Amino acid sequence: MLEVKTVEKPDERRDFPRGHLEALHLTGLDFAVATFEPGWRWSESVAPIAGTESCMVHHNGYLVQGRLRIRMDDGAESEVGPGDVFVCPPGHDAWVVGDEPVVMHDFAGQTAQEYAKGS
């Protein structure tokens, strides 16, 4: 079965402080487009919704715009920018670097299903 959806018409949108997530649900694929404004930080903007000390969602991401810094709970850190593809396991914090919004595409599924929904 062929399915086609456009990110211009997501199935759902979740708003949170300094950002939002738009999700598309297809058979075998839950896809998310996350937008984080300058000043967004997971531990401040989403942690109160998630109810966890760090982000417990797995991400398979592609960064479209902006720069995002990620710090794992074990202290490892990396920065991703436009054109970067990354895998980030649960147990991390992240924040926008600089004055440009971050736009991230996430193919992991868990993001589209659970991110910023609360417990």
Side-chain angles (χ1 to χ4, degrees):
M1 170 176 52
L2 176 64
E3 288 181 81
V4 179
K5 293 188 177 184
T6 177
V7 295
E8 302 301 322
K9 295 181 182 178
D11 294 317
E12 64 177 306
R13 177 181 165 124
R14 292 178 220 134
D15 292 297
F16 42 84
R18 296 189 186 97
H20 64 274
L21 178 132
E22 295 169 322
L24 292 94
H25 306 290
L26 296 91
T27 303
L29 174 65
D30 290 291
F31 177 78
V33 178
T35 302
F36 308 126
E37 299 297 329
W40 176 89
R41 186 177 185 118
W42 186 90
S43 55
E44 297 169 4
S45 298
V46 183
I49 298 166
T52 57
E53 289 187 28
S54 60
C55 181
M56 299 309 292
V57 172
H58 176 92
H59 303 284
N60 291 341
Y62 171 74
L63 212 72
V64 177
Q65 173 186 313
R67 298 203 66 77
L68 187 68
R69 188 83 183 168
I70 302 168
R71 179 181 299 135
M72 302 304 298
D73 288 350
D74 68 5
E77 276 193 44
S78 189
E79 191 167 302
V80 293
D84 289 343
V85 175
F86 64 97
V87 173
C88 181
H92 59 272
D93 192 9
W95 58 92
V96 172
V97 175
D99 296 329
E100 183 178 15
V102 166
V103 177
M104 179 184 80
H105 291 177
D106 196 310
F107 296 86
Q110 187 182 12
T111 303
Q113 294 166 0
E114 301 173 13
Y115 192 83
K117 269 193 171 178
S119 46

